[in-house]
Amino acid sequence: MKQDLIKKFSRSVSTDIELSKYSWFNLGGPAELFFKPENKNQLIEFLKENKKKDKFKITIIGAGSNILIRDKGVKGVVIKLGPSFSKINLIDKTIIEAGAGTLDRKISTFAKENEIGGMEFLSCIPGSIGG
């Protein structure tokens, strides 16, 4: 199963990636599998493929600002959402649509620029919306 995922998603899947690179505290051992999807469709396809057979446990990490990763690493698949998941759109005067990979402070700034109140608290949270 592991080799099947690596083969099918070779550009986006790696093995034994040190998760300390993705943690603000620079802590953590390797991920058994590390998946950084290029887009939503690839993420959906990966999740379907993982579900078909002996599925791997899935761990999703955000900006890495509020996570401690053990030195022995993480078994299964660690998913890290990249830039294609960091979109912000104004739906109407008071509704913002944000991707899971969007940093909290970017949402706060976007809200301010579009004269939407109530999002100021996000300006000092060092994370992402989906993290």
Side-chain angles (χ1 to χ4, degrees):
M1 175 65 180
K2 186 176 180 178
Q3 294 305 322
D4 293 343
L5 288 173
I6 292 169
K7 185 176 179 182
K8 186 166 186 172
F9 299 96
S10 61
R11 293 185 349 184
S12 301
V13 172
S14 304
T15 58
D16 299 319
I17 294 294
E18 290 296 321
L19 295 173
S20 60
K21 296 176 186 177
Y22 298 94
S23 164
W24 281 28
F25 298 111
N26 297 318
L27 300 171
E32 183 176 0
L33 283 175
F34 185 79
F35 178 56
K36 195 167 185 180
E38 295 173 6
N39 54 50
K40 182 175 85 172
N41 291 335
Q42 187 184 45
L43 175 59
I44 291 168
E45 186 179 349
F46 182 89
L47 293 172
K48 285 180 181 178
E49 193 68 30
N50 185 54
K51 192 175 182 179
K52 279 183 186 177
K53 300 177 184 175
D54 299 327
K55 64 181 179 177
F56 285 96
K57 176 185 166 224
I58 294 175
T59 302
I60 300 174
I61 59 173
S65 60
N66 194 22
I67 188 170
L68 295 174
I69 303 164
R70 60 192 221 133
D71 291 338
K72 291 184 179 181
V74 177
K75 295 279 187 205
V77 179
V78 174
I79 298 175
K80 168 80 172 144
L81 301 180
S84 67
F85 294 89
S86 298
K87 296 187 169 122
I88 307 172
N89 298 309
L90 187 63
I91 303 300
D92 69 26
K93 291 181 183 180
T94 60
I95 298 176
I96 297 172
E97 176 185 58
T102 307
L103 295 176
D104 294 338
R105 68 175 157 67
K106 287 189 177 188
I107 299 292
S108 179
T109 301
F110 185 85
K112 180 182 171 189
E113 290 169 354
N114 288 280
E115 300 178 356
I116 299 172
M119 303 298 277
E120 299 84 3
F121 73 97
L122 288 173
S123 67
C124 59
I125 298 176
S128 59
I129 292 298

